[in-house]
Amino acid sequence: MIEMTDVSKTYANGVNALNNIDVLIEKGEFVYIVGPSGAGKSTFIKMIYREEKPSDGRIMINGHDLTTLKEKHVPYLRRNIGVVFQDFKLLPKMTVFENVAFALEVIEEPRSEIKKRVMEVLDIVKLKNKARFFPDELSGGEQQRVSIARAIVNRPQVVIADEPTGNLDPDTSWEIMDVLEEINKRGTTILMATHNRSIVNTIKKRVIAIESGRIVRDELRGDYGYER
Ligand code: ADP
Ligand code: ADP
């Protein structure tokens, strides 16, 4: 479902962020992306939702070639990929409900349908009772759960999370993992870049390690590695 063939990325300033990446990620997998700062993890992730384009190689997502995808088709791709960021990126002047409804790509749907769908995803992240709250009235973990609700409201096949627990304390981080695992159980593919050693070593999943722009390790049920 996600396939990279000989993908390289050199930024405009000449920085060579990724080299000759070959990877295949199947529908329903849960994959951690690990590696030191500057290794190329974010670049890898950004190429999947077309925030960056590869300089070389081919990326196929659900049978669509991202390299030749026209700009006008990018929104269709993004409807199939939900993104969760380390810093949540919620809109501060909108309520929880509005933040999630805003991401819903249904123009024609009656309000009752929109409400139903938003409340369904708020139920999955256990925030139905805070639908009317504003982001600054929530804890960090709750804000991240809103951002996960926003990412899944269009029922994407893939959820990409770039350091989703990076700003959260350990207990809250485990709660976020519960939510991501639940979403994965429902069939969504999850890619998660992380520096969280205890999560990777406890909730065993496929681990892809990137160093200096290359995949140096790809293991089913892998470890975090990089022992202190
Ligand atoms: P990671 O997520 O593993 O920390 P990144 O993908 O952010 O790594 O960065 C990989 C390399 O690419 C680093 O050397 C970084 O400085 C560089 N880089 C990232 N984004 C850009 C950009 N927009 N322009 C130029 N260089 C960039
Ligand atoms: P742009 O027009 O600048 O490419 P968009 O309006 O498509 O940006 O997206 C706004 C922001 O949301 C961007 O920073 C982008 O990284 C992020 N984003 C893009 N696709 C998704 C998605 N499927 N889910 C959540 N956030 C996304």
Side-chain angles (χ1 to χ4, degrees):
M1 84 152 339
I2 299 174
E3 184 174 20
M4 295 196 187
T5 313
D6 207 15
V7 167
S8 297
K9 171 71 183 180
T10 303
Y11 282 105
N13 62 358
V15 171
N16 191 216
L18 290 175
N19 293 294
N20 311 98
I21 299 289
D22 287 306
V23 76
L24 179 65
I25 295 166
E26 303 279 9
K27 180 168 170 43
E29 280 199 81
F30 193 127
V31 184
Y32 295 120
I33 314 291
V34 306
S37 280
K41 302 180 296 296
S42 294
T43 304
F44 179 88
I45 271 182
K46 283 178 181 168
M47 287 198 305
I48 294 170
Y49 63 99
R50 224 342 171 86
E51 184 73 15
E52 294 290 349
K53 288 185 192 175
S55 321
D56 261 305
R58 196 172 75 151
I59 306 180
M60 299 287 292
I61 313 261
N62 300 325
H64 297 282
D65 187 343
L66 282 203
T67 350
T68 56
L69 189 74
K70 297 206 168 66
E71 280 311 316
K72 65 177 179 195
H73 291 139
V74 171
Y76 298 98
L77 167 81
R78 293 208 173 147
R79 235 167 271 182
N80 255 308
I81 303 179
V83 186
V84 175
F85 303 95
Q86 177 171 1
D87 58 356
F88 325 135
K89 296 199 194 299
L90 299 176
L91 297 163
K93 293 188 174 152
M94 287 191 184
T95 64
V96 165
F97 183 94
E98 289 162 350
N99 265 282
V100 177
F102 185 71
L104 198 56
E105 304 262 5
V106 284
I107 306 111
E108 309 277 285
E109 291 285 351
R111 282 196 61 83
S112 60
E113 271 305 307
I114 294 175
K115 182 164 185 211
K116 183 165 160 258
R117 183 70 196 132
V118 172
M119 293 316 277
E120 265 170 34
V121 290
L122 287 180
D123 190 31
I124 294 173
V125 302
K126 304 194 167 64
L127 278 177
K128 255 165 67 176
N129 58 338
K130 303 223 162 148
R132 292 167 187 276
F133 285 50
F134 287 90
D136 67 4
E137 298 171 317
L138 303 177
S139 69
E142 288 170 334
Q143 291 185 52
Q144 190 58 299
R145 273 146 55 201
V146 177
S147 105
I148 293 172
R150 178 185 59 188
I152 62 172
V153 74
N154 284 301
R155 299 193 169 98
Q157 289 172 302
V158 182
V159 166
I160 290 180
D162 198 351
E163 301 258 8
T165 65
N167 283 348
L168 304 175
D169 60 55
D171 286 350
T172 313
S173 300
W174 292 107
E175 283 168 32
I176 294 299
M177 290 309 294
D178 285 345
V179 175
L180 292 177
E181 279 204 282
E182 175 61 27
I183 292 164
N184 179 241
K185 277 197 196 114
R186 292 168 184 239
T188 310
T189 309
I190 306 222
L191 260 71
M192 170 174 160
T194 185
H195 282 120
N196 195 312
R197 171 190 310 272
S198 54
I199 284 176
V200 174
N201 287 346
T202 306
I203 307 177
K204 292 280 188 164
K205 305 285 183 191
R206 179 174 173 187
V207 174
I208 295 178
I210 301 182
E211 286 175 30
S212 308
R214 293 179 193 275
I215 293 181
V216 294
R217 187 155 58 90
D218 184 349
E219 295 169 337
L220 292 174
R221 301 179 59 80
D223 277 319
Y224 182 81
Y226 309 106
E227 292 312 326
R228 285 161 295 190

